[in-house]
């Protein structure tokens, strides 16, 4: 946590161990992995199934919404 506060990364990739993947998918209702999650500055989840960066401006528009 201190590293996150210190370096303030624009994005963060987390790995779910293979033996925990099914539980992760059930807990967060996501069928596919990887999943893109967008959070606002207060840590509130804006989208748990955000479009991928390769989807053009869709992700950018969502990020702009989260920044407000």
């Amino acid at each position: 946590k201190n590293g996150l506060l210190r370096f303030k990364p624009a994005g963060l990739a987390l790995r779910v161990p293979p033996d925990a993947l099914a539980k992760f998918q059930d807990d967060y209702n996501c069928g596919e992995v990887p999943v893109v999650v967008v959070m606002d500055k207060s840590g509130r989840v804006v989208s748990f199934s955000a479009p991928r960066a390769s989807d053009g401006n869709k992700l950018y528009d969502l990020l702009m919404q989260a920044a407000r």
Side-chain angles (χ1 to χ4, degrees):
K1 182 175 177 180
N2 290 336
L4 294 176
L5 295 174
R6 181 175 172 205
F7 296 109
K8 299 177 183 154
L12 180 65
L14 302 175
R15 180 182 173 277
V16 177
D19 61 332
L21 184 57
K23 182 171 177 9
F24 177 85
Q25 289 171 311
D26 285 344
D27 289 350
Y28 293 100
N29 194 27
C30 66
E32 64 181 71
V33 174
V35 62
V36 178
V37 179
V38 174
M39 301 172 81
D40 66 14
K41 291 179 181 182
S42 66
R44 185 179 63 88
V45 173
V46 174
S47 174
F48 196 82
S49 58
R52 296 178 185 200
S54 60
D55 287 342
N57 289 334
K58 292 178 187 176
L59 180 58
Y60 176 81
D61 293 342
L62 190 60
L63 291 172
M64 291 298 98
Q65 175 188 339
R68 292 184 204 145

